[in-house]
């Protein structure tokens, strides 16, 4: 059986998988950084980049998350849902045969 190239043959899988992973880990980083950086400090370029990268995902999760959980926990909740979305995406792509296999089989 002819296998596609490990990188180029599965490029849609790699792009979405990497993108979801990047945003999920950035949400965890944003949550941890919030302990050290005041929230209203606009001059900090690192904080602004975390907010820019994760803002859309946190806004989407905040829309469906009860307000009783509080704003402090939204980055962690968002990371949780992004990791589940990433897992679901993997299984969807694997069932369609669009994920690379590490072992060559029997």
């Amino acid at each position: 059986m002819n296998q596609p190239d490990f990188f180029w043959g599965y490029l849609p899988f790699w792009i979405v998988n990497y993108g979801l992973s990047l945003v999920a880990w950035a949400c965890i980083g944003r949550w941890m950084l919030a302990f050290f950086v005041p929230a209203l400090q606009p001059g900090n370029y690192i904080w602004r980049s975390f907010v820019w990268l994760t803002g859309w995902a946190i806004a989407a999760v905040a829309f469906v998350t009860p307000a009783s959980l509080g704003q402090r926990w939204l980055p962690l909740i968002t990371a949780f849902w992004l990791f589940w979305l990433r897992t679901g995406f993997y299984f969807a792509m694997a069932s369609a045969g669009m994920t690379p296999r590490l072992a060559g089989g029997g």
Side-chain angles (χ1 to χ4, degrees), residues 40-81:
L40 298 175
Q41 187 178 6
N44 190 327
Y45 63 92
I46 296 173
W47 176 256
R48 283 186 296 160
S49 63
F50 274 97
V51 170
W52 175 80
L53 183 61
T54 61
W56 63 273
I58 291 176
V61 170
F63 184 71
V64 296
T65 303
S68 62
L69 292 176
Q71 294 291 320
R72 163 169 251 156
W73 301 104
L74 274 178
L76 283 183
I77 296 167
T78 303
F80 170 80
W81 285 114

Side-chain angles (χ1 to χ4, degrees), residues 7-21:
F7 181 76
W8 295 110
Y10 302 106
L11 194 58
F13 169 75
W14 292 123
I15 289 173
V16 175
N17 189 31
Y18 179 74
L20 289 174
S21 178

Side-chain angles (χ1 to χ4, degrees), residues 10-36:
Y10 302 106
L11 194 58
F13 169 75
W14 292 123
I15 289 173
V16 175
N17 189 31
Y18 179 74
L20 289 174
S21 178
L22 176 71
V23 176
W25 283 108
C27 285
I28 293 173
R30 178 178 171 171
W31 178 75
M32 293 174 64
L33 193 61
F35 289 109
F36 303 107

